[in-house]
């Protein structure tokens, strides 16, 4: 069945088509959920909520643009909605700090390690970091998505980078001291 036919059948609430769509995209969307969630249980909840939204709004998709991009946007917005409701983005100080961060020996870092370190970021920093660095959104887009100012977005990104730099350097230092002893 073509993607166009699959979408058409989902718009008609055909369970088989919805199941096929879930099977086709769940792993990609789950990886997105993991980036915006604190743990796997939260990611699974976000994935289920995203698919509920996808199936309820699929009639709004008009075959303009990328369907996968549309799915991704709904998934990200679903995950972010939880944080908006919790007031995670209430920031007192929006001072923008220097965004330049250097990490020594960065070529030795595995993707799994980096993703795990990103997961340790405080929510507001992790979400802005993921949106800006990993998903390529602009600070203007992020400010609209998270209902924060552009300055807050920039500040949170800079703080996320500093946090990551310190964590990576700390981990590298711990590894070096373990290998010496």
């Amino acid at each position: 069945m073509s993607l166009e036919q699959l979408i058409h059948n989902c718009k008609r609430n055909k369970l088989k088509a919805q199941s096929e769509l879930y099977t086709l995209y769940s792993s990609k969307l789950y990886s997105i959920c993991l980036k915006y969630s604190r743990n796997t249980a939260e990611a699974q909840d976000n994935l289920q909520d995203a698919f509920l939204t996808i199936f309820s709004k699929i009639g709004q998709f008009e075959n303009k643009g990328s369907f996968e991009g549309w799915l991704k946007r709904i998934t990200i917005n679903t995950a972010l909605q939880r944080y908006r409701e919790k007031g995670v983005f209430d920031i007192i100080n929006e001072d923008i700090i220097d965004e330049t961060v250097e990490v020594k020996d960065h070529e030795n870092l595995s993707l799994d390690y980096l993703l795990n370190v990103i997961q340790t970021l405080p929510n507001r920093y992790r979400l802005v970091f993921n949106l800006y660095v990993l998903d390529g959104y602009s600070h203007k887009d992020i400010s609209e998505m998270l209902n924060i100012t552009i300055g807050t977005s920039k500040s949170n990104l800079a703080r996320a980078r500093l946090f990551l730099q310190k964590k990576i350097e700390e981990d590298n230092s711990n590894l070096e001291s373990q290998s010496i002893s």
Side-chain angles (χ1 to χ4, degrees), residues 7-138:
I7 294 168
H8 175 75
N9 286 345
C10 284
K11 287 179 179 183
R12 295 177 57 214
N13 292 320
K14 302 280 185 177
L15 292 178
K16 184 177 178 188
Q18 290 175 337
S19 177
E20 193 172 326
L21 187 79
Y22 182 89
T23 301
L24 191 60
Y25 287 103
S26 62
S27 63
K28 286 181 183 180
L29 298 181
Y30 180 70
S31 65
I32 291 170
C33 290
L34 278 173
K35 288 191 310 190
Y36 292 96
S37 303
R38 267 286 175 221
N39 53 51
T40 57
E42 188 176 294
Q44 290 167 349
D45 288 346
N46 285 334
L47 180 66
Q48 295 306 315
D49 290 347
F51 269 103
L52 289 173
T53 302
I54 288 164
F55 292 137
S56 71
K57 294 187 176 196
I58 199 161
Q60 296 173 9
F61 182 73
E62 298 174 352
N63 295 326
K64 295 178 183 172
S66 162
F67 181 65
E68 191 169 322
W70 184 79
L71 295 173
K72 179 181 173 183
R73 181 80 175 199
I74 287 176
T75 303
I76 290 171
N77 283 332
T78 299
L80 295 179
Q81 185 59 37
R82 287 181 188 260
Y83 294 106
R84 281 188 216 107
E85 291 167 357
K86 293 178 185 175
V88 166
F89 301 107
D90 297 338
I91 307 286
I92 297 168
N93 186 353
E94 292 184 6
D95 294 338
I96 298 173
I97 53 182
D98 181 19
E99 289 191 34
T100 306
V101 175
E102 289 185 31
V103 178
K104 296 173 187 159
D105 296 329
H106 62 280
E107 64 274 353
N108 295 331
L109 303 176
S110 73
L111 180 59
D112 284 341
Y113 170 77
L114 288 174
L115 292 176
N116 285 333
V117 172
I118 291 168
Q119 288 295 102
T120 67
L121 286 168
N123 290 335
R124 65 178 147 244
Y125 301 158
R126 187 181 78 256
L127 298 175
V128 171
F129 182 86
N130 285 338
L131 287 167
Y132 187 85
V133 175
L134 301 180
D135 291 320
Y137 288 97
S138 69

